[in-house]
Amino acid sequence: MLTALAIRNVVLIEALDLAFHAGLGVLTGETGAGKSILLDSLGLVLGDRADTGLVRAGTDQASVTATFEFDRMPDAVRGILGDAEIDLEPGEPLIIKRRLRADGGSRAFINDQPVGVALLRDLSRMLVELHGQHDDRGLVNARGHRLLLDRYAHADVGAVAEAWQRWSKADAELAQARAAVAAARADEDLLGAYLAELTVLAPVIGEEQDLAEQRAAMQKGERLSGDLVQLQALWEGSDSALAVLRSAARRLDRIASEHPLLGEALASLDRAVIEAGEAEDRIAAAMDALAHDPALLDRIETRLFELRAAARKHGCTADALPAKLAEFQAQLDAIENGGTRIAELERAAQEASLDYQAKAEALSVLRAEVALRLDAAVAQELAPLKLDSARFRTAVVRLPEDRWGPQGVDAVEFLIATNPGAPFAPLGKIASGGELSRFILALKVALAEQGGAATVIFDEIDRGVGGAVASAIGERLARLASAGQLLAVTHSPQVAARGGTHYLIAKSSEGTVTRTSVALLDTAGRQEEIARMLSGAEITPEARAQADRLLEQA
């Protein structure tokens, strides 16, 4: 609920700090004292258009700060704040501030975090419900009527929403399957050709790399073959280098014992013969490894070209060709089996549709039944509020199928007819001023605790009425406020007497400077203000006595 409102430099208000409480709070004062300034200030902080006329003359900017506190923050409010990445600790107040410069610029903050004005407007619907002469929010707005009726009926709209989601999902799957089959059939011949090509090609994952490595080795052998043949010739024949080394070793072996150095030379020569023999073996092995078969190389290059050409054709790598083959096969299988699959999806979609329609129809019947009960409950409230010639009706209208949704198949709107024989029309288009406010009060009383904003404000709901009607209004406002917070701007002493808290709005002048102030009245102050409301400029003893009686009756 709204617990504090701080206003700086708004029209006639220089500086004002107000604290509000639960229950019914009434705001009174003489005409022109500045009650509308308070409502305009609250509207500014809740996202209304930034009107530079609100900035107090002679100042650069105006500001309004509203503080809201909750025993448990509504999920809708927490959701909006969460989407804006504003996290409040449990029990932390929600503080909204709006600054308006004289040149027209404005800024908004939530708990010191800059936000857009659109976010304030989104929050305003959850925080404050304002009913005044020109207000088009709250109960006047038909967009919330279906939700209010469903709450009044304790309807299980969640089951309908779940059924709608299942139907929507089944329809989407069916549409996707149909589109896939249609696209596949359009390309069936091409798919068949692709499948045949890849089936003949029979690609294998990793094959391209193996072939490329083989080809590279063969090409290297072809390039080195001449050198290898010449090297091998050095080791072949009786006059080869190795044969010469071996002959020298045999001859040296016969004389090695004649001198130590000859023995060492023989050892060195033996090692050379061994190393040369190993070199001969490795050259032979290399020639075998690098041997190339021109015919085999041609076959490898042909296969490699075919794999890479197919990969380019299908826009993938050679290793992805087996998956492409499986994909084409699956698409052709889908064409062959598409009828069966689509039939299954059609049955599922039909079942989901029937389930949704059954639940939505049951909800529609419940709405129609409960609408009659709500109409009767509102009708009982109209006569005491001097609206005995008026009629109220909750219109539950079946929507065309293309407008069905998770909330069911109905549109709901509250309609009124203010005179006998007059046609029914939306609330805001028929009633006006205090009459509209009394209609809304009757509806609020009938709906009782079926949801709404945390704070409800009625602006001059008693306009043009008095006596018993004003008393009836006051009694109903007090009843509504017992479960939350309700503020009423009033000119009626009967309504003012019902307030749990009473604020006096007054205007004063000092030379050319005019200011508006607001004071929280104590018991004596309330008696005096209600007596003024009863008697006018001169407060008589009779008026004070009557004020006491009204306060005692409240």
Side-chain angles (χ1 to χ4, degrees):
M1 69 174 187
L2 177 66
T3 57
L5 187 65
I7 304 172
R8 298 291 183 271
N9 296 322
V10 175
V11 193
L12 299 179
I13 298 176
E14 186 173 8
L16 183 62
D17 293 282
L18 291 174
F20 297 99
H21 308 278
L24 177 60
V26 295
L27 296 93
T28 65
E30 295 182 357
T31 301
K35 295 185 289 295
S36 63
I37 300 175
L38 287 178
L39 297 181
D40 289 342
S41 299
L42 187 58
L44 180 67
V45 82
L46 292 176
D48 283 357
R49 186 178 65 85
D51 182 359
T52 56
L54 294 175
V55 180
R56 180 176 171 83
T59 62
D60 295 330
Q61 71 173 15
S63 69
V64 182
T65 304
T67 301
F68 295 87
E69 298 183 43
F70 311 90
D71 292 333
R72 180 183 179 278
M73 182 176 290
D75 292 339
V77 173
R78 189 170 297 280
I80 292 173
L81 294 176
D83 291 342
E85 299 182 351
I86 299 174
D87 296 321
L88 300 185
E89 297 295 328
E92 183 180 0
L94 173 64
I95 303 173
I96 304 175
K97 185 171 185 177
R98 183 94 178 270
R99 290 176 182 162
L100 173 61
R101 296 197 307 270
D103 62 8
S106 75
R107 297 189 68 189
F109 304 84
I110 293 181
N111 288 50
D112 295 326
Q113 180 172 326
V115 297
V117 176
L119 180 61
L120 303 189
R121 287 194 287 268
D122 290 339
L123 282 173
S124 69
R125 296 180 289 108
M126 314 297 173
L127 298 175
V128 176
E129 189 176 315
L130 174 61
H131 301 294
Q133 297 182 59
H134 307 293
D135 187 61
D136 60 354
R137 294 169 291 187
L139 295 181
V140 177
N141 193 328
R143 286 180 296 180
H145 293 177
R146 182 169 56 193
L147 176 60
L148 288 171
L149 181 64
D150 288 341
R151 287 176 175 170
Y152 185 71
H154 301 290
D156 186 7
V157 183
V160 176
E162 290 174 2
W164 168 261
Q165 295 300 329
R166 287 193 296 271
W167 182 22
S168 298
K169 182 180 178 182
D171 260 356
E173 290 178 349
L174 175 59
Q176 184 177 2
R178 283 173 171 166
V181 169
R185 281 180 177 156
D187 297 330
E188 186 172 5
D189 291 342
L190 186 60
L191 286 172
Y194 286 163
L195 181 63
E197 289 176 358
L198 291 181
T199 300
V200 171
L201 185 63
V204 177
I205 295 176
E207 182 181 9
E208 180 195 25
Q209 182 176 349
D210 291 342
L211 292 172
E213 290 174 353
Q214 290 180 48
R215 183 180 69 166
M218 286 189 174
Q219 288 173 337
K220 186 183 294 183
E222 184 179 22
R223 189 177 69 251
L224 299 176
S225 61
D227 292 332
L228 292 174
V229 169
Q230 291 178 7
L231 284 170
Q232 192 176 35
L234 296 176
W235 270 262
E236 293 178 348
S238 59
D239 58 346
S240 67
L242 183 57
V244 172
L245 284 175
R246 286 172 178 165
S247 176
R250 287 193 298 269
R251 183 171 297 178
L252 186 58
D253 182 54
R254 291 195 295 269
I255 63 174
S257 59
E258 299 297 330
H259 193 280
L261 289 175
L262 292 176
E264 293 176 5
L266 177 61
S268 298
L269 194 56
D270 285 340
R271 288 196 299 274
V273 170
I274 292 170
E275 292 288 340
E278 291 178 353
E280 180 185 29
D281 293 340
R282 288 188 173 93
I283 290 172
M287 290 183 70
D288 290 339
L290 295 173
H292 72 284
D293 179 350
L296 177 59
L297 178 59
D298 183 63
R299 289 195 299 273
I300 289 174
E301 289 183 332
T302 299
R303 176 67 176 176
L304 197 55
F305 173 79
E306 290 174 346
L307 286 172
R308 290 175 174 174
R312 287 194 300 273
K313 182 176 183 178
H314 297 294
C316 63
T317 64
D319 282 348
L321 288 174
K324 278 291 181 182
L325 176 61
E327 178 185 332
F328 295 145
Q329 184 64 63
Q331 287 177 310
L332 287 171
D333 290 343
I335 294 174
E336 295 177 4
N337 303 324
T340 302
R341 173 62 176 159
I342 287 175
E344 293 174 354
L345 292 174
E346 285 175 340
R347 284 193 297 272
Q350 179 67 12
E351 290 172 1
S353 171
L354 292 175
D355 179 58
Y356 167 78
Q357 291 184 59
K359 288 182 169 61
E361 187 63 35
L363 176 59
S364 183
V365 170
L366 176 63
R367 283 169 173 162
E369 293 173 353
V370 173
L372 296 176
R373 295 207 302 268
L374 178 59
D375 294 350
V378 174
Q380 291 181 353
E381 299 294 330
L382 295 180
L385 297 175
K386 200 178 179 181
L387 295 169
D388 44 328
S389 297
R391 293 168 296 150
F392 175 86
R393 185 174 75 187
T394 304
V396 180
V397 180
R398 184 72 166 233
L399 293 169
E401 186 172 342
D402 61 353
R403 293 182 59 194
W404 293 358
Q407 305 304 316
V409 297
D410 307 303
V412 176
E413 186 171 11
F414 300 144
L415 305 175
I416 60 171
T418 54
N419 298 302
F424 283 93
L427 283 172
K429 293 185 178 179
I430 295 297
S432 60
E435 187 180 55
L436 174 60
S437 295
R438 296 201 303 280
F439 259 113
I440 291 172
L441 177 59
L443 184 54
K444 291 287 289 185
V445 171
L447 289 169
E449 299 178 3
Q450 303 307 323
T455 299
V456 179
I457 300 175
F458 280 94
D459 181 17
E460 299 188 7
I461 189 174
D462 49 21
R463 178 185 293 269
V465 299
V469 177
S471 295
I473 291 173
E475 185 273 329
R476 283 157 176 77
L477 291 175
R479 195 194 316 170
L480 282 175
S482 64
Q485 182 185 50
L486 192 151
L487 300 174
V489 177
T490 180
H491 290 288
S492 168
Q494 291 90 342
V495 173
R498 291 280 184 173
T501 52
H502 190 152
Y503 303 88
L504 175 62
I505 304 172
K507 184 168 62 175
S508 61
S509 298
E510 296 179 9
T512 60
V513 178
T514 302
R515 293 183 177 87
T516 290
S517 61
V518 180
L520 177 62
L521 300 180
D522 57 14
T523 301
R526 293 190 67 193
Q527 180 207 47
E528 197 71 5
E529 170 61 7
I530 292 173
R532 181 199 65 76
M533 297 170 73
L534 287 165
S535 64
E538 183 180 350
I539 302 176
T540 63
E542 292 80 5
R544 291 190 176 93
Q546 179 63 17
D548 285 339
R549 285 193 292 271
L550 287 176
L551 289 169
E552 289 171 1
Q553 292 171 2

